[in-house]
Amino acid sequence: GQNIDQPTEMTATEGAIVQINCTYQTSGFNGLFWYQQHAGEAPTFLSYNVLDGLEEKGRFSSFLSRSKGYSYLLLKELQMKDSASYLCAVNNDYKLSFGAGTTVTVRA
Amino acid sequence: GAGVSQSPSNKVTEKGKDVELRCDPISGHTALYWYRQSLGQGLEFLIYFQGNSAPDKSGLPSDRFSAERTGGSVSTLTIQRTQQEDSAVYLCASSLERYPAWNTEAFFGQGTRLTVV
């Protein structure tokens, strides 16, 4: 089966840094995605990791450790528009299995 | 089209009625997925299409749910004899390749919000 865990909620201040952790136990692995989803909108792609290490993309970075079944998404210089749900998803063959999402609230 | 299009965006139906949800994937995308998202929950996989065939229907919750895809493009998800627990947002996604990756990520539609009353 698939088991993907991430915290339910996180709150941070504008300009700060927040790290969202994701741990997974899946029967297969072809990469890990992070998606952002604003309320009432479609999830949009943020990052993809298939090899161990850090992928940096502007204010967002994502890290993967396959041996530990662990990833994190790092959001730097938080802006109010970053308030959203962040979804960790593991690609197993063709199927994306999602965690329940982490709701990040950015406060002024 | 420019993105994945789903219709209707909202649907309210009476318990026991049948509903059809439509998904127009991005042109040329061979892989198509249906997911369901209940309030406060993660995305629940329903079914995967590669072309017109569905190699994996394992996520369909019951035999009241069915889906088809024609012409390697449009897909329809049908829910028969709807129940209140079917209320959720139904999301469709498509990707260029069978194996989503950094350059072939899955693109999601806006979803259909289904409310069964």
Side-chain angles (χ1 to χ4, degrees):
Chain A
Q2 321 293 341
N3 193 25
I4 300 169
D5 291 317
Q6 49 183 131
T8 306
E9 293 180 335
M10 300 184 77
T11 301
T13 306
E14 196 174 14
I17 297 173
V18 69
Q19 178 175 315
I20 307 169
N21 296 324
C22 172
T23 57
Y24 63 90
Q25 290 177 305
T26 58
S27 56
F29 183 82
N30 292 110
L32 186 144
F33 288 82
W34 284 95
Y35 277 82
Q36 181 191 57
Q37 186 178 27
H38 284 99
E41 296 184 10
T44 55
F45 170 80
L46 285 179
S47 69
Y48 172 74
N49 294 70
V50 67
L51 299 177
D52 290 352
L54 189 68
E55 293 283 341
E56 296 190 81
K57 235 187 195 187
R59 295 188 299 112
F60 293 175
S61 303
S62 56
F63 171 83
L64 175 69
S65 169
R66 288 172 296 171
S67 62
K68 295 182 180 176
Y70 168 69
S71 173
Y72 68 72
L73 178 70
L74 195 69
L75 286 64
K76 293 180 274 191
E77 300 168 20
L78 279 172
Q79 301 175 10
M80 300 300 288
K81 68 178 181 180
D82 297 329
S83 292
S85 182
Y86 292 84
L87 309 174
C88 173
V90 173
N91 183 20
N92 176 12
D93 195 1
Y94 51 81
K95 185 190 301 186
L96 285 176
S97 297
F98 284 84
T102 300
T103 300
V104 172
T105 302
V106 181
R107 294 190 172 155
Chain B
V4 178
S5 177
Q6 292 188 245
S7 61
S9 53
N10 277 285
K11 176 73 176 178
V12 180
T13 190
E14 292 181 353
K15 179 180 171 182
K17 300 281 190 185
D18 297 352
V19 295
E20 276 191 1
L21 313 180
R22 177 186 169 106
C23 172
D24 279 279
I26 293 173
S27 178
H29 281 196
T30 59
L32 185 146
Y33 318 80
W34 283 97
Y35 285 85
R36 178 167 73 172
Q37 188 173 32
S38 301
L39 190 63
Q41 304 295 313
L43 276 68
E44 174 191 3
F45 170 82
L46 297 179
I47 188 169
Y48 158 71
F49 286 93
Q50 182 63 32
N52 289 337
S53 63
D56 188 349
K57 306 178 183 180
S58 63
L60 294 177
S62 74
D63 59 9
R64 297 187 295 104
F65 288 71
S66 63
E68 64 175 12
R69 189 179 185 193
T70 55
S73 181
V74 173
S75 176
T76 303
L77 177 69
T78 301
I79 309 173
Q80 295 177 309
R81 305 181 303 281
T82 52
Q83 303 294 314
Q84 287 185 329
E85 62 262 28
D86 299 334
S87 296
V89 175
Y90 289 81
L91 289 162
C92 175
S94 70
S95 68
L96 187 58
E97 301 286 349
R98 170 183 172 150
Y99 298 95
W102 69 271
N103 58 345
T104 61
E105 77 260 23
F107 292 85
F108 284 83
Q110 300 278 14
T112 294
R113 181 174 298 279
L114 176 67
T115 304
V116 182
V117 297

